Amino acid sequence: MSQGLQHLGTQRIVWISGKALGSSLDAATWLETTRELRELGWQVTLVAKGPRGTYRVEDVEIYCLPRPRIYLFGYLVFQVSVLLFLLQHLSSIDVVFFHQMSAPWLLPLKAVRRLLGRSRPLFVMDTRDVVAVRRGLRNRARRLFFQFAHWLANK
C-alpha cells in the first residue's frame, strides 16, 4: 500500500488536520487523541500539513501533505491533496474525521461512496470552533463558510 496508509488494519480512521502539528501550540488535541485511539485498537492515519511524507511528532506518526504559505491558495492546494489522498485509499478507510473547513471538499466523497454502493467510510465532522464575532470582511467570509460547512454536513 502507498505511503501514509501502510499500517492500516481492520478499524481504520483517517483524521485530517489542517495544522502543522510539529509547531502548533494545540497539537496535543490531535496527538494525544490519536495515541489513545491507537491504544484502543484503532488504526489511525493522522494527516497534517507539512512537507510530504511520514514523520513522528511526540512519538506519534503523522502523514503530511504540502500546504503552500499563500493565503487561500495554500489552503486549496492542501484540500485538493487531501481529497486525492482519500480517493486513492477510499476502499480501505472506515472513518474520516475532518474539520468543518474541509467539509465542502470532503463531503462530496459521500456521493462517490453511494455511487460505489458502499456504506464506508463514515464522514465525521470535528467541530470545536466558535463562529468569529469580530467585524471585517475576512471574519464575515469565515462566518459564512462556517455556516455553509455545517449546512452541508447536515445534509
Side-chain angles (χ1 to χ4, degrees):
M1 194 165 294
S2 75
Q3 187 174 350
L5 286 179
Q6 67 271 17
H7 63 282
L8 292 180
T10 57
Q11 299 171 320
R12 298 158 304 238
I13 297 174
V14 173
W15 194 358
I16 310 299
S17 168
K19 297 191 174 218
L21 296 177
S23 60
S24 178
L25 293 176
D26 63 345
T29 301
W30 289 272
L31 299 173
E32 292 300 319
T33 306
T34 296
R35 185 178 291 123
E36 291 297 321
L37 285 168
R38 287 175 179 166
E39 286 182 20
L40 291 170
W42 287 88
Q43 300 297 314
V44 181
T45 299
L46 182 55
V47 179
K49 76 174 184 175
R52 185 178 303 275
T54 303
Y55 302 90
R56 293 192 82 71
V57 176
E58 295 182 27
D59 205 34
V60 174
E61 185 179 289
I62 62 172
Y63 182 68
C64 291
L65 293 170
R67 180 174 170 179
R69 297 183 72 171
I70 302 168
Y71 185 72
L72 194 56
F73 175 74
Y75 177 74
L76 294 174
V77 168
F78 178 75
Q79 294 302 330
V80 169
S81 296
V82 167
L83 184 61
L84 293 173
F85 177 82
L86 291 174
L87 282 171
Q88 186 178 19
H89 302 288
L90 200 59
S91 64
S92 65
I93 301 169
D94 294 306
V95 179
V96 177
F97 284 148
F98 61 94
H99 190 265
Q100 74 264 7
M101 297 301 280
S102 297
W105 288 271
L106 299 184
L107 289 176
L109 289 177
K110 286 173 65 175
V112 171
R113 180 191 69 190
R114 286 185 190 130
L115 287 172
L116 296 173
R118 297 189 177 140
S119 61
R120 300 269 187 216
L122 299 175
F123 291 88
V124 179
M125 189 166 75
D126 175 25
T127 301
R128 287 176 260 161
D129 292 345
V130 293
V131 178
V133 293
R134 291 183 181 169
R135 296 181 188 259
L137 183 60
R138 193 175 193 177
N139 284 324
R140 184 164 191 265
R142 188 175 292 267
R143 238 186 346 266
L144 290 172
F145 191 83
F146 183 89
Q147 292 167 343
F148 174 70
H150 279 267
W151 173 81
L152 185 62
N154 289 319
K155 288 287 173 193

